[in-house]
Amino acid sequence: MQNIVPDSSSRIGGYTTRESHLKRLGEKEEAAWNEFYTKYKAMIYAIGASRQLAEEECEDLMQEVALICSRKLQNFIYDPERCRFRSFLFKITTNVAFNLLRKKNKHQAEELKGDYSVVPELDIEFMLEYERFLLERSFLILKNSISSESYLAFDMLFCQNMPIQEVAGKTGFSTSKLYTLKHRCLKKLKKIIPMLIKEMETPSKTVQEAE
């Protein structure tokens, strides 16, 4: 599947945390914590869901992650060369999800042991989770904005990488229509993804159907 997510400098926009915000979180400022919930809740839920947590368990995950962050941010030293907050948060979220699964059914997931100092590999893993999250949400928005037949054809062409002649035979669409459909869907996705990133930064705005 070709890359339709913006480059890394754009991708991380929704999850770059300012030092001033971290300080306000450490001081337990209510407005800062409201911003934290709005900005990170969807991603934390997505990490929980990817680890087979039910929706109500994702709420427990969110609450526990916030409690741990609240405690640790009082002594958190911001050093972007050594530790990005999103990686710090990812490690906490992963460990809490592991503990919830272990309590639920003794799931043998791999726990990230040790303290919460962050290594580059964790940041890479977070960004992979973030990219997967963006793609899943953007494809769902696309699916809800076009007909089921058109989305099925696009899925076969783009996601399954099926030959266009085979897709034409399965759907009854002409090859010219399929080329046009693929182009239009990719155009929509390339509008939807930046809108999702912007929504994470300014969550009062909702993602509208991309035309």
Side-chain angles (χ1 to χ4, degrees), residues 120-132:
E121 289 77 10
L122 274 183
D123 199 56
I124 292 170
E125 189 171 352
F126 181 95
M127 294 313 302
L128 290 173
E129 288 274 3
Y130 180 30
E131 183 170 300
R132 182 187 61 79

Side-chain angles (χ1 to χ4, degrees), residues 49-60:
S50 73
R51 284 154 177 77
Q52 291 77 54
L53 291 180
E55 185 174 352
E56 61 272 14
E57 293 168 325
C58 287
E59 179 60 32
D60 294 336

Side-chain angles (χ1 to χ4, degrees), residues 99-114:
N99 288 331
L100 288 172
L101 282 170
R102 184 172 57 185
K103 291 176 183 177
K104 177 183 178 181
N105 55 13
K106 297 183 179 179
H107 185 81
Q108 296 300 310
E110 181 180 355
E111 183 176 13
L112 299 173
K113 298 183 182 298

Side-chain angles (χ1 to χ4, degrees), residues 17-36 40 65-78 85 88:
T17 306
R18 301 181 304 277
E19 183 176 4
S20 59
H21 186 206
L22 294 177
K23 182 179 179 181
R24 289 163 55 216
L25 289 172
E27 294 171 350
K28 302 186 184 299
E29 182 183 311
E30 183 177 355
W33 279 102
N34 288 339
E35 183 179 340
F36 173 88
Y40 290 105
V65 167
L67 285 172
I68 294 173
C69 284
S70 178
R71 292 197 302 268
K72 291 192 172 290
L73 281 172
Q74 295 178 56
N75 301 310
F76 185 81
I77 299 174
Y78 181 75
F85 176 73
F88 169 84

